[in-house]
Amino acid sequence: MRRLRLGTGALVGALATAPLIAVMALAYRLANLPFSPFDFFDWVTRVLPGRVVTFGIDSMIWSLEKVGLSVADAAKTAERSVAVIQFFVVGVVLAALFFAVYGMGASRHARRGAVAGLVLGVLFGLPMAVLGVTIGQSPVAPAWSVLWLAVLYLAWGWVVAWGFRRTAPAVAPEVAGTAEARALDRRHFLIRLGTASAVVTVAGAGVAELLRVYPGEGGGGAARGGAQATVNGRGEPFPNAGDPVVPAPGTRPEYTPLDDFYSVFIRTEPTKLDGASWELPVTGLVDNPLRLTLDDFKNRYPSRDQYVTISCISGRIGTGLISTTMWTGVPLQSVLDEAGVQPEAKYLHIRSGDGYYETVDLDLVARDPRIMLCHSWDGKPLPSDHGFPLRIWIPDRYGMKQPKWITAIEVSADYVPGYWVERGWDREARVKETSVIDTVAVRSAYRQGGRMLVPVGGIAFSGAKGISKVEVQVDDGPWTQAKLRQPLSETTWVVWRYDWPLEEGHHTFTVRCADGDGKPQIETTHAQRPSGATGLDHEKANVKA
Ligand SMILES: Nc1nc2c(c(=O)[nH]1)N[C@H]1C(S)=C(S)[C@@H](COP(=O)(O)O)O[C@H]1N2
Ligand SMILES: [Mo]
């Protein structure tokens, strides 16, 4: 009997929770109302120990790669699916427990079933509403969000209790008749509930899906093989415009279209801050605490443009989690000079709108005047996925050291590990030399001096250390030097090209580089954690004349 109740409870729970999710998703897309599965997931990933989260991310990336999906494109989608499934399971389990627990005393309370259902709705909905208005990012006034969630969760609880009354005939006085008739009635009820649930779920989720727009959420992979721009967003020609080394066909764009810029953030959705009301407090060990507006950053300080490549420490060899654009901002040192940093200060604690945080060494800021607080990309305000209104750029460090959506800077004497450092990643996170083959352009083979040549090409990057050499090896042959295109700046990747004398058959191409000081790329394979992946990129090609 108990097992039957649990099973029916789970079924009714599933039939009630699926439309709940769909309706919430629809309101989320239509009116920015809270979407509990994401809020709940963001909360869970924040309170779980770092090791568990890292394990979860690794397993997800592993499974994505097993099924052949591009990690850059699919990771957030997978994360969002996990969030929805997790929430669904909670709803199903709660309903099953309700059936089991309430079933025990139900003969006494059967008439109060509806009330019990509303209590169940509060049990589920109250924590979700709290998460929705605290860590959730809905711009809707909390009162409206809570009201909306109250309606949904109470309805959900009511449906579960109704399902209980209609499927537990032994204790349901309104259902009379023989056992057989009751079983038939129960089946009919479940079929009708199932149909209604399916209709609401499909309609809600379908419309929500139609409304879905993901601005700027292209993975790095999508950038491969696209057209090469000739001017930046301000219409200025690139500094290497006249370089005779033309990228091999199929090389990723040297200047990443913003829509294709890789995007990494800890929450299920990017954080949205309001630029008009945003202010940055600069506090702590300073003589003049500051509160700076976006206007201050655009007009009151010296402005710097810099072509920058940024990459993610959790990218594998050949990753798409790396992109390039023009960054504009204010030297961090100018802001600190105005604030008047006190002598005992050693670190900056940066906090972000999504709960992210990082610590920056003041010695590093003093040594590298290029470090900047950046408000524009490609001549336009930062896209919201990429940190609007303000993010920091620190040359030669992986992305994890560079908070987006900055909301506070505190000058301090104490070291505090940053968000990912606390979760086991490298404290310094200096960029490792890396080189990637984007293309073996067999179809663009051309004849020159009596032989066929195949353009082979890609990128090499070593943070701010520059690239002095790229070499390509075919099968077990000798390492041959590739041509290097002049980079957009000393802090971007370098596009390389090698025109390979065609030989028919199956071949493996391998690439390696050396940084600006001639230090060779580390060839030993090492996984991303804790300090960034090392090892060589290979590309196989089947070549026919
Ligand atoms: N506030 C905030 N800043 C952040 C992150 C984040 O999750 N939140 N992720 C970091 C990581 S791990 C990377 S790789 C870069 C990615 O920047 P992008 O999404 O603009 O490419 O942002 C960094 N800054
Ligand atoms: Mo990252």
Side-chain angles (χ1 to χ4, degrees):
M1 181 65 190
R2 175 75 57 81
R3 206 179 311 142
L4 186 76
R5 268 196 224 119
L6 273 176
T8 316
L11 177 61
V12 170
L15 295 181
T17 310
L20 172 69
I21 294 172
V23 172
M24 238 180 319
L26 181 59
Y28 175 64
R29 295 289 170 213
L30 269 180
N32 285 316
L33 284 156
F35 187 57
S36 301
F38 289 174
D39 298 337
F40 183 53
F41 184 82
D42 286 340
W43 175 77
V44 169
T45 49
R46 204 181 307 170
V47 296
L48 282 181
R51 241 173 308 140
V52 178
V53 174
T54 313
F55 174 78
I57 295 173
D58 284 355
S59 329
M60 196 172 76
I61 289 178
W62 182 84
S63 356
L64 288 173
E65 284 178 345
K66 281 287 158 217
V67 297
L69 286 170
S70 150
V71 173
D73 294 333
K76 272 296 157 195
T77 309
E79 206 173 298
R80 293 184 182 120
S81 315
V82 172
V84 169
I85 292 166
Q86 174 188 269
F87 179 86
F88 181 75
V89 169
V90 172
V92 168
V93 168
L94 279 179
L97 288 177
F98 175 84
F99 270 55
V101 172
Y102 195 66
M104 290 188 284
S107 43
R108 277 180 285 131
H109 309 302
R111 298 215 170 270
R112 281 192 270 132
V115 177
L118 299 184
V119 172
L120 178 69
V122 171
L123 276 179
F124 191 11
L126 193 62
M128 293 300 167
V130 169
L131 291 181
V133 298
T134 51
I135 78 166
Q137 308 187 51
S138 166
V140 175
W144 288 114
S145 295
V146 171
L147 189 68
W148 167 241
L149 293 181
V151 169
L152 286 187
Y153 283 94
L154 290 176
W156 174 86
W158 185 86
V159 169
V160 172
W162 180 45
F164 178 81
R165 290 204 308 285
R166 297 298 304 266
T167 57
V171 293
E174 63 263 49
V175 182
T178 64
E180 204 181 335
R182 289 199 299 255
L184 193 67
D185 180 78
R186 181 160 59 194
R187 243 192 336 270
H188 281 159
F189 171 78
L190 285 173
I191 289 169
R192 266 184 292 137
L193 183 63
T195 311
S197 164
V199 168
V200 176
T201 304
V202 169
V207 177
E209 186 62 29
L210 287 178
L211 293 171
R212 183 160 79 167
V213 274
Y214 278 152
E217 200 184 288
R224 291 199 174 189
Q228 305 277 353
T230 55
V231 293
N232 67 26
R234 279 200 216 115
E236 300 154 348
F238 294 123
N240 59 358
D243 196 293
V245 179
V246 175
T251 306
R252 75 190 68 197
E254 182 173 34
Y255 191 72
T256 314
L258 285 192
D259 282 349
D260 295 337
F261 210 101
Y262 89 91
S263 187
V264 168
F265 42 86
I266 53 173
R267 297 249 186 136
T268 19
E269 297 274 37
T271 298
K272 297 221 157 46
L273 299 180
D274 171 37
S277 61
W278 176 88
E279 280 191 333
L280 181 76
V282 181
T283 57
L285 300 175
V286 291
D287 296 332
N288 317 303
L290 305 173
R291 280 194 88 82
L292 302 171
T293 64
L294 194 47
D295 218 49
D296 291 332
F297 279 99
K298 291 193 169 159
N299 302 314
R300 268 199 3 178
Y301 294 99
S303 175
R304 282 203 59 212
D305 295 331
Q306 175 90 24
Y307 288 99
V308 169
T309 297
I310 182 174
S311 65
C312 180
I313 197 167
S314 57
R316 297 178 182 230
I317 294 300
T319 179
L321 299 178
I322 178 168
S323 305
T324 301
T325 194
M326 181 178 70
W327 298 46
T328 303
V330 167
L332 175 55
Q333 194 57 56
S334 311
V335 175
L336 294 180
D337 286 347
E338 191 185 6
V341 172
Q342 294 169 1
E344 66 273 33
K346 279 202 149 68
Y347 300 99
L348 296 182
H349 298 171
I350 301 185
R351 300 215 138 258
S352 296
D354 57 346
Y356 199 77
Y357 46 90
E358 247 305 339
T359 297
V360 183
D361 199 322
L362 279 173
D363 278 345
L364 182 66
V365 183
R367 280 201 311 272
D368 194 338
R370 295 174 299 184
I371 296 177
M372 65 170 157
L373 294 170
C374 160
H375 55 73
S376 294
W377 264 15
D378 193 30
K380 296 176 276 284
L382 281 173
S384 63
D385 286 19
H386 297 289
F388 178 85
L390 197 77
R391 68 185 296 171
I392 191 171
W393 174 55
I394 306 175
D396 213 38
R397 309 285 154 152
Y398 283 112
M400 60 169 272
K401 300 298 291 181
Q402 316 192 33
K404 313 189 270 190
W405 304 296
I406 297 178
T407 50
I409 295 182
E410 194 193 333
V411 182
S412 166
D414 308 315
Y415 175 78
V416 178
Y419 184 94
W420 284 120
V421 176
E422 213 171 20
R423 286 158 179 78
W425 293 85
D426 195 293
R427 181 173 157 168
E428 306 281 324
R430 289 198 63 174
V431 172
K432 294 236 150 58
E433 304 75 25
T434 192
S435 51
V436 185
I437 302 172
D438 283 346
T439 177
V440 177
V442 179
R443 267 186 253 146
S444 301
Y446 62 100
R447 183 167 295 281
Q448 192 181 66
R451 49 182 199 170
M452 291 299 283
L453 295 177
V454 175
V456 180
I459 53 104
F461 182 53
S462 90
K465 298 175 286 285
I467 294 291
S468 58
K469 188 164 71 174
V470 170
E471 294 173 304
V472 178
Q473 182 189 44
V474 184
D475 304 319
D476 297 324
W479 287 97
T480 313
Q481 214 162 315
K483 287 187 214 146
L484 302 185
R485 182 172 159 82
Q486 180 202 325
L488 290 166
S489 83
E490 88 285 3
T491 55
T492 65
W493 55 28
V494 171
V495 170
W496 59 266
R497 170 178 180 138
Y498 166 53
D499 291 80
W500 169 66
L502 185 151
E503 283 169 45
E504 282 189 47
H506 290 275
H507 298 288
T508 300
F509 297 76
T510 307
V511 65
R512 70 181 184 192
C513 67
D515 77 7
D517 300 325
K519 178 175 165 276
Q521 169 180 357
I522 300 169
E523 297 190 12
T524 320
T525 301
H526 195 289
Q528 308 91 295
R529 207 177 21 263
S531 308
T534 61
L536 300 184
D537 188 37
H538 306 280
E539 186 77 32
K540 287 191 193 326
N542 182 15
V543 182
K544 295 183 205 116

